[in-house]
Structures are given as structure tokens and as C-alpha cells.
Amino acid sequence: MHGVTLAQMLTELVEECGWATLGQEIPIRCFTHEPSLASSLKFLRRTPWAREKVESFYLFIQRQKARDGKRPPCP
């Protein structure tokens, strides 16, 4: 994850999976109730446990991409 910002991670996850899937996989309010990139980043930057969940899910998706060779099947 060297060189990948939280904003880049979240943007990529939203583009690949969408807010609905992200909210199902990581059930936190900033993803399930009126989600936006700005409000989610603000929350994640102040909340270490939530940021860890996003980073973990991002790594999971990256491993899926590497294994499948293409776009990951979002859960």
C-alpha cells in the first residue's frame, strides 16, 4: 500500500464495487446513509478502526484482481 492514499483507495473501491456493496461489506454509516467521498474520507481519517477495515477490503480486492487477472468480482 505504499504510495496509495486513502482517497485513492476509496475512489477505486467505489468505482469497482459501488457504495451499496461497500456499505454491505463494511457496514458503517458513512457508506450506508447518503454516502459521499468527502464525508467518508473525513470520517475514515478520524476513525482508525474504520480506516483499517477499508484498507483490508482494498487489499482483498487487489489480491482478487491479481489472481483473476482482471476486474475483481465484488462480493
Side-chain angles (χ1 to χ4, degrees):
M1 286 199 324
H2 296 288
V4 179
T5 66
L6 183 59
Q8 290 170 328
M9 276 189 258
L10 188 57
T11 300
E12 190 172 327
L13 287 172
V14 170
E15 287 174 358
E16 291 183 13
C17 301
W19 288 111
T21 300
L22 199 53
Q24 288 175 343
E25 293 298 317
I26 309 169
I28 52 179
R29 191 170 176 84
C30 68
F31 295 156
T32 60
H33 294 82
E34 298 181 33
S36 74
L37 192 60
S39 66
S40 296
L41 285 172
K42 184 176 179 180
F43 175 76
L44 294 171
R45 287 181 178 131
R46 292 182 304 171
T47 316
W49 63 265
R51 181 174 44 243
E52 289 174 14
K53 288 181 180 264
V54 170
E55 290 171 352
S56 178
F57 187 61
Y58 177 79
L59 290 174
F60 170 76
I61 295 296
Q62 294 305 310
R63 284 192 298 270
Q64 292 292 327
K65 272 194 211 179
R67 186 170 29 141
D68 298 341
K70 291 191 177 188
R71 192 176 164 147
C74 284

